[in-house]
Amino acid sequence: MSMVPVDYDGLIPNNVALGSDVRVKRALEKWHPGYIGWWMDMGPEGFQNALVYLRTAIGVDPKGWAKFDYVRMPEYRWGILLAPQREARKIPFGSHKGEDAWQEVPGEYRAMLRRLVVIQGDTEPASVEQQRHLGKTAPSLYDMRNLFQVNVEEGRHLWAMVYLLQKYFGTDGREEAEALLQRRSGDPDSPRMLGAFNEKTPDWLSFFMFTYFTDRDGKMQLEALAQSGFDPLSRTCRFMLTEEAHHMFVGETGVTRVIQRTCEAMKEAGISDPYEIDKVRKLGVIDLPTVQKKANMHFSLTLDLFGNEISTNAANAFHAGLKGRFREDRLKDDHELEGGTYPVLRLIDGQVKNDDAPALSALNMRLRDDYVADCQVGVDRWNKVIAEAGIPFAIKLPHVAFHRHIGEFSRTNADVDGNILSPAEWTHRRTDFLPSAADKDFIESLMQPQFETGKFASWIAPPKVGIDNKPGDFEYVKIADA
Ligand code: BYC
């Protein structure tokens, strides 16, 4: 592996020798003010002057790649960092399997590759936009810091994709880089590209669910793109995955702490029935059935991000060697999939049934299956907390047919167990599965800021350990400076 040291002196920290690449350096320096303008307009609202204890990537060595310090977010050093180049790397799958990995864009796949990079890039600023109001209702300075850490790193991931566009795609790459700063989450005229990134993240439970479920789609897609035969994309995604792990940690532990606080409060009050919702809510904590509804919402919205179960786009991207499967390099088959099949859940004669489809066409389905298995691991950990408290309740991932807007099940309505409902039944029962207006109002009523050092809002337990091993009373955000 060859490791290029990170150049930290210029405007844009990087390990891609930007100093000797005048054209790309100029293009990125030209893009920079627009990015800062976007960050000031659409980044965390009300805290741009606060000093935040953030980690910044300063290298790509798995040991010691980041340093922690107080930073004002607009001064964060957003850099371009690629994982080290693997010498003599070969294209690991598809029709070019075994050929040397591409260091330049293969002409015949240019449009397909650009589309993948643009879609990936579009999600990054979208999530910052979705989360921009949350600082004001942070349940602690610890959580506020984690939110801002996720936000600045999503900003860096946008830089990562913009670098690829500027370096490898010429004029149209530059235009796409501009357009990434123009679209806005939820804007009716110029929305973000994928559905879930135009939804609101109205409260902190949604933020934790988003970072658990939706950032995990990020993990799966980045793992698939990290396999790419286009080496710069592979290297970029490999390093992004290092940062992504913290985002899912924030989500998983965030939900765990919500559940833990609810269970503790129920035990203290002698309530063992999780469905005594009014009584539980009076304790200032979020009842478990509402936590379940939020999970239903974010899981189902995220499943849509895997696209159609049967997809020619996915088949073409694999065949071309651009987008692989989850951890392709650990799979034991021919990595070409020309003759194989894969079972796909479909709606056949009004029933949900497995149907074998050509493996190449079913790649979105396969990635989604891997995703569901990955989601279940954290859900099991949440359920351990509930079981240890002796409360008869378990969080369940809803059926993949539930509440879908893309793919096979978008044509129907299913309940959380996958039973098909008539439109009237769906309308009648919708709020049994998804948060009702009253549920949303209740959660909103709890979203009161807790900015005192070392204190936490009523509805969430403190973390087991601090960030960077800091003690419980550490001032993660110095708001006084805001
Ligand atoms: N919303 O052939 P199909 C992350 C479109 S998250 C709207 O089934 P394909 C992050 C589709 O574009 C990871 N439209 O689709 C997380 C296509 O349109 P065109 C982001 C949708 O291409 C948290 C048409 O429907 N990265 O990083 O097989 C915070 C036919 O679709 C949707 C990626 O997704 C939708 N949900 O699969 C921050 C990786 N789904 O082209 C960041 C790159 C489908 O016919 N993207 N459509 O006009 C891809 O690999 C694929 O584009 C998709 C879709 C998996 C998204």
Side-chain angles (χ1 to χ4, degrees):
M1 286 205 295
S2 60
M3 191 99 85
V4 177
V6 177
D7 170 2
Y8 234 78
D9 294 336
L11 179 66
I12 305 160
N14 70 91
N15 69 347
V16 292
L18 211 52
S20 56
D21 195 345
V22 178
R23 184 188 64 80
V24 178
K25 184 166 177 268
R26 282 219 188 104
L28 288 170
E29 284 173 355
K30 224 172 140 201
W31 187 79
H32 185 263
Y35 172 80
I36 295 293
W38 166 81
W39 179 269
M40 296 308 289
D41 285 351
M42 298 311 293
E45 198 186 336
F47 296 92
Q48 300 281 15
N49 280 321
L51 283 169
V52 188
Y53 192 69
L54 292 175
R55 85 178 172 186
T56 303
I58 51 158
V60 291
D61 189 336
K63 293 180 248 108
W65 60 273
K67 79 169 174 36
F68 285 85
D69 208 346
Y70 284 106
V71 181
R72 287 191 176 84
M73 286 183 279
E75 290 159 17
Y76 190 78
R77 304 296 311 274
W78 284 286
I80 295 160
L81 298 163
L82 271 58
Q85 184 161 7
R86 291 184 180 144
E87 263 148 51
R89 180 170 177 261
K90 305 290 178 202
I91 299 167
F93 59 89
S95 58
H96 298 280
K97 191 183 82 172
E99 295 172 21
D100 286 345
W102 296 296
Q103 300 304 329
E104 294 295 332
V105 174
E108 74 262 48
Y109 303 135
R110 194 170 185 279
M112 208 191 305
L113 190 54
R114 193 186 67 200
R115 178 179 169 275
L116 288 172
V117 172
V118 168
I119 293 181
Q120 181 62 49
D122 191 69
T123 63
E124 316 289 2
S127 67
V128 176
E129 292 163 4
Q130 288 172 296
Q131 296 163 12
R132 68 185 298 254
H133 303 295
L134 291 173
K136 287 186 242 165
T137 55
S140 70
L141 294 181
Y142 165 89
D143 289 291
M144 185 191 279
R145 177 245 166 245
N146 284 349
L147 166 72
F148 294 159
Q149 182 73 62
V150 169
N151 292 161
V152 292
E153 284 175 351
E154 300 303 4
R156 205 200 68 72
H157 291 180
L158 171 60
W159 273 92
M161 291 301 125
V162 164
Y163 167 70
L164 295 180
L165 289 170
Q166 302 274 22
K167 166 117 179 129
Y168 297 99
F169 291 91
T171 310
D172 44 339
R174 255 195 316 282
E175 283 164 12
E176 293 285 12
E178 276 310 312
L180 285 167
L181 295 176
Q182 305 307 324
R183 288 186 286 272
R184 292 284 181 271
S185 174
D187 187 314
D189 300 323
S190 178
R192 291 294 172 185
M193 296 172 91
L194 300 178
F197 291 92
N198 288 304
E199 299 286 332
K200 287 202 159 53
T201 309
D203 56 67
W204 276 79
L205 183 52
S206 269
F207 170 66
F208 293 136
M209 291 293 181
F210 184 98
T211 39
Y212 185 74
F213 287 116
T214 310
D215 279 77
R216 193 171 303 275
D217 170 50
K219 166 184 164 181
M220 304 310 286
Q221 301 289 353
L222 289 174
E223 287 274 6
L225 294 174
Q227 303 290 334
S228 184
F230 179 53
D231 207 39
L233 177 62
S234 164
R235 292 173 59 201
T236 301
C237 292
R238 270 163 45 214
F239 187 65
M240 288 163 76
L241 280 161
T242 315
E243 293 162 312
E244 200 69 29
H246 176 67
H247 306 186
M248 287 175 292
F249 161 87
V250 168
E252 183 182 331
T253 55
V255 177
T256 303
R257 289 162 52 218
V258 171
I259 289 174
Q260 187 191 329
R261 185 66 205 109
T262 301
C263 292
E264 283 165 6
M266 286 173 68
K267 271 176 85 177
E268 280 158 24
I271 303 171
S272 56
D273 180 355
Y275 294 95
E276 293 212 72
I277 288 173
D278 289 341
K279 277 196 193 167
V280 174
R281 287 185 176 183
K282 285 210 176 84
L283 306 172
V285 295
I286 305 174
D287 52 285
L288 297 176
T290 298
V291 175
Q292 174 71 65
K293 286 187 195 177
K294 280 277 195 184
N296 292 346
M297 175 87 168
H298 288 272
F299 179 70
S300 58
L301 286 173
T302 305
L303 290 182
D304 286 340
L305 295 175
F306 289 86
N308 289 282
E309 289 83 348
I310 304 289
S311 163
T312 316
N313 286 342
N316 290 342
F318 185 89
H319 185 75
L322 299 182
K323 182 180 175 191
R325 290 169 292 177
F326 179 57
R327 297 184 179 157
E328 182 78 38
D329 47 1
R330 298 190 203 167
L331 299 174
K332 301 253 175 294
D333 59 23
D334 69 358
H335 302 279
E336 291 181 52
L337 306 179
E338 295 291 349
T341 61
Y342 189 83
V344 173
L345 266 192
R346 310 196 69 165
L347 192 64
I348 299 169
D349 301 330
Q351 298 208 346
V352 180
K353 285 187 187 157
N354 254 320
D355 188 27
D356 276 345
L360 263 180
S361 311
L363 283 164
N364 285 346
M365 174 76 197
R366 181 172 182 144
L367 194 61
R368 197 185 78 193
D369 282 344
D370 290 331
Y371 167 78
V372 173
D374 209 55
C375 284
Q376 187 61 47
V377 176
V379 172
D380 290 343
R381 283 199 277 259
W382 297 339
N383 285 333
K384 236 175 119 198
V385 175
I386 306 175
E388 277 166 11
I391 296 168
F393 194 89
I395 304 285
K396 262 174 51 186
L397 291 175
H399 194 279
V400 293
F402 169 74
H403 189 233
R404 297 298 307 281
H405 300 92
I406 299 275
E408 194 66 20
F409 302 108
S410 59
R411 300 177 276 127
T412 191
N413 292 305
D415 70 9
V416 287
D417 297 316
N419 302 307
I420 303 300
L421 304 180
S422 69
E425 281 174 312
W426 168 255
T427 307
H428 183 63
R429 295 190 56 202
R430 187 189 158 94
T431 54
D432 291 350
F433 314 128
L434 294 169
S436 65
D439 296 330
K440 289 179 193 164
D441 287 349
F442 169 69
I443 294 179
E444 205 187 307
S445 76
L446 291 183
M447 295 297 124
Q448 304 300 328
Q450 176 50 276
F451 295 169
E452 221 176 297
T453 307
K455 293 263 170 69
F456 289 82
S458 67
W459 52 270
I460 189 162
K464 282 207 175 79
V465 281
I467 294 296
D468 194 28
N469 280 321
K470 292 295 175 203
D473 60 354
F474 185 73
E475 192 176 7
Y476 287 101
V477 184
K478 295 189 182 183
I479 297 175
D481 295 81

